[in-house]
Amino acid sequence: MYENFSSLNPIFQALLAGLFTWFVTAVGAASVFLSRRVSRRLLDGMLGFSGGVMLAASYWSLLGPAIEISSHGALPAWFPPAVGFLAGGAVLWLLDKSLPHLHLGFPVEEAEGPKTTWRRSILLVSAITLHNIPEGLAVGVAFGGVIEGVPSASTAAAIALAIGIGIQNFPEGIAVAMPLRAEGMGQLKSFWFGQLSALVEPIAAMAGAALVVVAAPLLPYALSFAAGAMIYVVVEELIPEAERAGNVDLATVTLMIGFTTMMILDVALG
């Protein structure tokens, strides 16, 4: 099965991986059919875990390969990763300021971005969609990066990244759908909004793969761009949300567990 998957076009591989990460989000959102509420401690623990996975993936699956590829180029090895990393953070900052959204656990009065009349559910989906764009992009450029043939940018490493992103997408689906259900929204509608935010991942994955397949010299910039965008999300969104209710120790421990989980996945499979 692995050999058959490896023989596919990288863009199609990225699409399948993006669909997998979306599916896991949908499975998490489906928890609204089993329960109406999720404890704040559990939610904060899941957010911390997601942050840890993203931090580890940013280095082992993205920055590490970007640095390795750059070491064989004409420019200093640090230049493409540094430029891409800062550009990824800058783009997410611009999106953060230009798109109305609401972080989990925050009252609607604290919505960020331009003033809007959007309902709470739409604002929540906007926030997680912003979060999911760099995740999908990261998966896409990882699969597209296989064309360079470097060991750290292998199909196995890209699969490890997709699995890691998928694992942390499960609590994300819960984190969006369950609060909406607790506020009285129906099961189907809560599920719909919970999975909706992840639909951007297959699209972003295909776009990322297509970019580096068409323009291979952009690969180290694209890999580090995705890493910068993911780090921005962790620092600006996940960590503050996980610690907002005072569960600092829990969020820290689960972040460490998430980081270790992704590290093991990448080293073992990649």
Side-chain angles (χ1 to χ4, degrees):
M1 182 178 292
Y2 174 76
E3 289 75 13
N4 292 336
F5 183 82
S6 299
S7 65
L8 298 175
N9 182 280
I11 298 176
F12 189 59
Q13 290 178 341
L15 172 62
L16 293 178
L19 289 172
F20 165 74
T21 59
W22 162 79
F23 175 76
V24 179
T25 306
V27 172
S31 61
V32 295
F33 297 109
L34 303 175
S35 177
R36 189 181 184 93
R37 295 183 181 276
V38 61
S39 74
R40 183 67 210 191
R41 281 183 58 82
L42 178 59
L43 181 60
D44 289 345
M46 291 188 296
L47 290 172
F49 181 86
S50 294
V53 169
M54 292 177 71
L55 284 174
S58 295
Y59 177 74
W60 270 277
S61 299
L62 300 170
L63 277 177
I67 293 170
E68 182 180 351
I69 294 168
S70 298
S71 67
H72 302 294
L75 294 171
W78 55 265
F79 184 79
V83 170
F85 185 84
L86 293 175
V91 169
L92 259 290
W93 180 83
L94 289 173
L95 289 173
D96 192 61
K97 299 303 179 185
S98 60
L99 180 66
H101 61 284
L102 177 67
H103 295 313
L104 298 170
F106 284 45
V108 71
E109 294 78 17
E110 295 187 33
E112 298 181 5
K115 297 297 181 182
T116 181
T117 58
W118 290 1
R119 292 178 297 176
R120 178 181 176 83
S121 56
I122 302 299
L123 290 169
L124 283 170
V125 171
S126 295
I128 304 299
T129 300
L130 276 176
H131 181 156
N132 286 338
I133 290 173
E135 292 178 8
L137 182 64
V139 170
V141 295
F143 279 101
V146 176
I147 62 174
E148 282 290 316
V150 297
S152 57
S154 64
T155 300
I159 291 174
L161 174 61
I163 292 173
I165 295 295
I167 290 173
Q168 65 96 39
N169 272 5
F170 179 78
E172 282 184 13
I174 298 175
V176 177
M178 202 63 86
L180 296 176
R181 178 64 179 144
E183 292 175 2
M185 186 176 288
Q187 289 178 326
L188 280 174
K189 199 169 183 180
S190 298
F191 168 76
W192 170 255
F193 282 117
Q195 61 80 38
L196 184 63
S197 61
L199 282 177
V200 71
E201 291 199 12
I203 300 170
M206 290 183 65
L211 174 66
V212 296
V213 167
V214 172
L218 294 179
L219 178 57
Y221 296 94
L223 288 167
S224 51
F225 179 96
M230 288 174 66
I231 293 292
Y232 181 92
V233 168
V234 172
V235 176
E236 196 273 340
E237 178 183 338
L238 291 184
I239 292 177
E241 289 175 19
E243 298 182 348
R244 181 177 174 87
N247 295 314
V248 178
D249 290 343
L250 174 64
T252 301
V253 169
T254 54
L255 186 145
M256 298 287 288
I257 293 172
F259 187 97
T260 304
T261 300
M262 185 63 226
M263 178 182 66
I264 292 172
L265 270 175
D266 195 89
V267 174
L269 300 180

